[in-house]
Amino acid sequence: MADKLIIFDTTLRDGEQSPGASMTKDEKLRIARQLERLKVDVIEAGFAASSNGDFECVKAIAHAIKDSTICSLARANDRDISRAAEALKGGHSTRIHLFLATSALHMEKKLRMTPDQVFEQARLSTRFARNLSGDVEFSPEDGYRSDPDFLCRVLEAVINEGATTINVPDTVGYAIPELYGNFILNLRQRIPNADKAVWSVHCHNDLGMAVANSLAGVMIGGARQVECTINGLGERAGNCSLEEVVMAVKTRRDYFKLDLGIDTTQIVPISRLVAQTTGFVVQPNKAVVGANAFAHASGIHQDGVLKARDTYEIMRAEDVGWAANKIVLGKLSGRNAFKMRLTELGIQMESEAEINAAFAKFKELADRKSDIFDEDILALVMDESLTAEHEHYRFVALSQHSETGERPHASVTFAAGEVEHQAQSDGNGPVDASLKAIESKLATGAEMLLYSVNAITSGSTESQGEVTVRLQHGGRVVNGVGSDPDIVVASAKAYLSALNKLHSKIERVAAQG
Ligand code: KIV
Ligand code: ZN
């Protein structure tokens, strides 16, 4: 029987550390449920000690998910570890993931600790964690840039204290596949009790090699767990991309000879969900999940694929969940059909009132747009107007006028708390005018870092527009997403959604790793 490769997803923890990707508890729960459908082995749900919000997210996910192990990150100190254990309490299968930096640079400049102090802290905190959980992962942060002799000493000690998984992060994305693979192999060969733990890889993508490095860690180094995120989401250039690692191992099973528990048909749905939730759109030529990943434009390729699919295709689109522009519902669909589709998409609504509100929005959309696709439904449930009562700023209405040779003008009505405002402005274009109108009333002073528009479904101008707005204010960066068949309205919704995130003041400690 082949070895199993454990897939550890950290979209909700390391992925969330991307600028502006912070998610609410409901959004995280929705993604966790979809990760469970994807059958990932471990879900890193957050960093419980980093904020009360993250604590609640880890707790809710640990209670809701039964088929994947739920993990919380913790710094290697008693307080963080106790918080993680408390958040995970009552979960079906749980893990505490400790980290402590071991590179000379991090120990000296960041931790201001001597190697001996780091050694002791690693050992004692692992012991403390093992008293609270039977499943403990230890990560030497910046492990790949650490002195191998020191690393061997620390890792041997934490395995002796009961660490069940040893993860070797390339925290800054500095590794080269062959070197990283050999680095792990060397550790495993030198550490006498190495076989008492599962070895894991955790690679960042700064040099574009996170997937290659992870796979080298598996094939050369003998690691049997890969840490990764959906769409490669993560700080800077991101983390190792789950879909790429999984499809490489599955497609080239002849070489890897490893089993996976993943249901690959769930890859595209979760990729879309993560993109729509975080506002980090997927580039069209991204492997596996990009819109062009299975599109053949050249005549020679099209001809070849029509004659024999495997002339130019190494994977089948349907195996990763591409169901090309499937019309799922329309104007005549009833509440039950809508509810069933929500369930099929893994969307669980908290109450009947929420389903009713979503169904009313669906009817409104179906009146304006004849064919409703899965992507439209996802966008609709993401729409903050569904949870309007929880939001401070709410879009109400918009009118705008633009004509060749004239300066566009917009009038936007929106609510801020209990007060309804109407604001007017002109601008370079209707979108600019609408956002300036909102800003003229609220004077938030937020700086716009990004504005992007995408069609939710490809192939037609009838598609809804999905707008992402990234704002920066007071040292915080947030993404807002809005969708509507009218892209000016989608833009105003996205702007208000970003302002809501700034308003909600999600607190967290400094990002890690
Ligand atoms: O990149 C990193 O070092 C991390 C650790 C916290 C595991 O994310
Ligand atoms: Zn990381």
Side-chain angles (χ1 to χ4, degrees):
M1 214 178 95
D3 276 2
K4 182 177 177 193
L5 185 64
I6 298 167
I7 299 296
F8 175 116
D9 179 276
T10 183
T11 307
L12 299 176
R13 197 278 298 171
D14 222 352
E16 201 205 18
Q17 289 177 202
S18 317
S22 288
M23 295 169 244
T24 64
K25 186 166 104 182
D26 286 351
E27 289 169 340
K28 283 192 164 192
L29 259 174
R30 193 172 293 146
I31 290 175
R33 288 201 177 98
Q34 200 61 33
L35 286 168
E36 186 182 33
R37 291 181 144 221
L38 180 67
K39 300 196 185 343
V40 302
D41 302 285
V42 186
I43 299 173
E44 188 160 52
F47 179 2
S50 70
S51 69
N52 291 334
D54 240 30
F55 178 90
E56 291 304 329
C57 289
V58 174
K59 187 172 168 184
I61 293 170
H63 280 100
I65 302 298
K66 301 279 171 270
D67 294 337
S68 308
T69 296
I70 304 303
C71 169
S72 171
L73 187 70
R75 283 167 296 204
N77 64 56
D78 294 1
R79 180 197 166 264
D80 269 32
I81 296 168
S82 306
R83 269 312 257 174
E86 203 185 326
L88 294 167
K89 200 161 67 196
H92 192 251
S93 162
T94 60
R95 171 180 298 184
I96 299 177
H97 177 191
L98 304 183
F99 74 99
L100 183 61
T102 49
S103 67
L105 188 65
H106 278 230
M107 290 189 291
E108 188 191 326
K109 304 279 183 221
K110 188 181 86 170
L111 299 177
R112 296 181 200 282
M113 287 168 75
T114 64
D116 283 344
Q117 287 170 325
V118 167
F119 174 84
E120 267 316 284
Q121 189 165 326
R123 214 169 58 78
L124 295 178
S125 58
T126 305
R127 182 181 297 175
F128 186 76
R130 261 315 293 260
N131 283 332
L132 298 174
S133 169
D135 188 344
V136 171
E137 174 169 329
F138 180 85
S139 286
E141 192 192 7
D142 206 18
Y144 179 65
R145 292 196 301 169
S146 304
D147 168 39
D149 292 343
F150 178 60
L151 207 48
C152 283
R153 207 178 134 216
V154 172
L155 297 182
E156 182 182 348
V158 299
I159 296 172
N160 268 339
E161 295 296 345
T164 42
T165 300
I166 296 294
N167 179 46
V168 184
D170 176 24
T171 303
V172 291
Y174 184 68
I176 305 286
E178 193 186 347
L179 302 184
Y180 182 69
N182 281 318
F183 188 80
I184 299 207
L185 180 64
N186 178 45
L187 294 175
R188 287 185 51 239
Q189 285 173 340
R190 288 182 54 192
I191 296 174
N193 53 4
D195 61 331
K196 302 272 181 311
V198 172
W199 287 72
S200 167
V201 288
H202 178 111
C203 298
H204 282 263
N205 202 33
D206 298 66
L207 292 174
M209 289 188 279
V211 172
N213 288 335
S214 302
L215 292 174
V218 170
M219 288 311 280
I220 303 174
R224 286 296 175 266
Q225 172 175 286
V226 174
E227 302 200 351
C228 44
T229 60
I230 302 295
N231 300 338
L233 188 70
E235 280 190 282
R236 309 186 309 272
N239 285 58
C240 170
S241 143
L242 179 146
E243 57 280 2
E244 292 178 23
V245 161
V246 163
M247 289 317 290
V249 172
K250 179 171 170 171
T251 308
R252 295 306 310 272
R253 197 178 184 287
D254 58 317
Y255 173 71
F256 289 104
K257 298 187 174 60
L258 289 169
D259 286 337
L260 288 163
I262 299 292
D263 175 357
T264 59
T265 63
Q266 296 299 325
I267 285 179
V268 168
I270 191 158
S271 161
R272 285 191 187 129
L273 179 63
V274 170
Q276 290 191 333
T277 306
T278 59
F280 277 75
V281 292
V282 173
Q283 76 198 52
N285 58 336
K286 165 94 169 65
V288 184
V289 292
N292 289 354
F294 291 88
H296 299 276
S298 103
I300 296 175
H301 287 201
Q302 283 176 348
D303 183 53
V305 168
L306 287 176
K307 286 179 178 146
R309 201 170 176 161
D310 52 4
T311 48
Y312 288 101
E313 275 187 10
I314 58 163
M315 302 172 260
R316 295 179 340 147
E318 51 273 37
D319 288 350
V320 295
W322 282 105
N325 284 359
K326 209 167 81 186
I327 300 169
V328 287
L329 295 172
K331 199 172 160 155
L332 300 176
S333 309
R335 190 177 179 281
N336 278 344
F338 177 72
K339 201 171 154 182
M340 198 181 300
R341 195 63 204 148
L342 288 180
T343 313
E344 282 163 6
L345 285 171
I347 298 163
Q348 206 168 319
M349 297 225 146
E350 296 308 322
S351 62
E352 284 298 305
E354 226 182 310
I355 297 176
N356 290 343
F359 184 62
K361 287 265 160 206
F362 159 73
K363 281 292 190 191
E364 230 173 71
L365 183 64
D367 273 341
R368 297 164 68 198
K369 186 174 184 293
S370 50
D371 302 327
I372 306 288
F373 301 94
D374 284 343
E375 293 87 337
D376 292 313
I377 297 180
L378 275 177
L380 188 141
V381 297
M382 287 310 145
D383 192 326
E384 291 181 354
S385 54
L386 273 185
T387 48
E389 67 274 22
H390 307 309
E391 300 298 349
H392 186 68
Y393 300 114
R394 296 180 309 279
F395 174 83
V396 177
L398 181 149
S399 73
Q400 53 87 10
H401 179 79
S402 60
E403 199 174 325
T404 312
E406 279 188 17
R407 198 163 159 77
H409 183 87
S411 164
V412 185
T413 310
F414 63 95
E418 300 303 310
V419 186
E420 198 160 292
H421 297 283
Q422 210 205 15
Q424 323 240 357
S425 178
D426 53 14
N428 286 346
V431 170
D432 187 46
S434 305
L435 304 196
K436 282 196 169 123
I438 298 174
E439 192 55 28
S440 73
K441 242 333 154 217
L442 299 178
T444 66
E447 183 191 352
M448 191 177 298
L449 302 182
L450 174 122
Y451 171 83
S452 82
V453 192
N454 278 285
I456 286 188
T457 45
S458 51
S460 152
T461 49
E462 280 192 1
S463 168
Q464 290 201 80
E466 182 177 67
V467 174
T468 304
V469 165
R470 184 173 303 157
L471 297 181
Q472 174 168 280
H473 186 59
R476 296 177 62 214
V477 178
V478 295
N479 286 340
V481 182
S483 57
D484 197 274
D486 178 334
I487 60 163
V488 185
V489 172
S491 304
K493 286 181 175 174
Y495 193 70
L496 291 170
S497 140
L499 290 182
N500 274 326
K501 290 196 178 162
L502 282 177
H503 189 261
S504 76
K505 295 201 176 54
I506 300 167
E507 27 111 27
R508 67 176 46 253
V509 300
Q512 304 291 331

